[in-house]
Amino acid sequence: MTASVRSALRDAFLTKAMETHRKEKQANLVGPTETHYGKVGGVYYAIGEISFKDDPASKQDGPHVWKSPNGTDWGYEGDTGGDVCSKVPSALAKVWGKSC
C-alpha cells in the first residue's frame, strides 16, 4: 500500500470520527495497520486496523473498511465487527485470507 493511500485512509477515518469524537486529533491515530486493498467491479476496497491512542474502545470491532470509486477518493465505511464480508465482496475477502 502506498503512503498516499494510507494517508487518505487515515484522513477519511478521522473525518468520520470527528462527527462523534470532536476532540480527537490526527496525532492520536494509530494505523492503519494490517492493511489490504483491491478492486472488484470498478470499486476499490481497503481494510485495516485503526484506532486512537487515547481511546482503548476504538481498538475493537475491526478490521475497518474504506471504499473508493477511483482508488484515490476514499470514504470510511465503518468497522466490521469481525465480519469482513458484511462490507466487502466475499471474493476479495477470500483473496485477503479472510473467511466469510
Side-chain angles (χ1 to χ4, degrees):
M1 178 173 291
T2 66
S4 63
V5 169
R6 190 175 305 275
S7 179
L9 299 181
R10 289 172 62 89
D11 291 346
F13 176 81
L14 185 59
T15 298
K16 186 66 173 176
M18 292 298 290
E19 292 175 8
T20 55
H21 298 86
R22 298 190 200 296
K23 295 182 182 181
E24 285 297 354
K25 300 177 224 165
Q26 189 165 14
N28 287 336
L29 276 176
V30 177
T33 61
E34 302 175 40
T35 56
H36 300 280
Y37 79 122
K39 180 179 174 186
V40 172
V43 178
Y44 291 82
Y45 295 87
I47 63 170
E49 299 296 334
I50 193 164
S51 61
F52 291 106
K53 291 185 232 183
D54 58 347
D55 182 4
S58 70
K59 292 182 181 179
Q60 57 190 359
D61 295 331
H64 296 262
V65 176
W66 294 262
K67 194 173 174 182
S68 172
N70 55 19
T72 55
D73 299 317
W74 291 93
Y76 176 69
E77 298 292 309
D79 63 57
T80 63
D83 181 12
V84 174
C85 295
S86 66
K87 295 186 187 257
V88 173
S90 60
L92 190 55
K94 288 179 183 177
V95 168
W96 294 335
K98 306 295 181 183
S99 60
C100 293

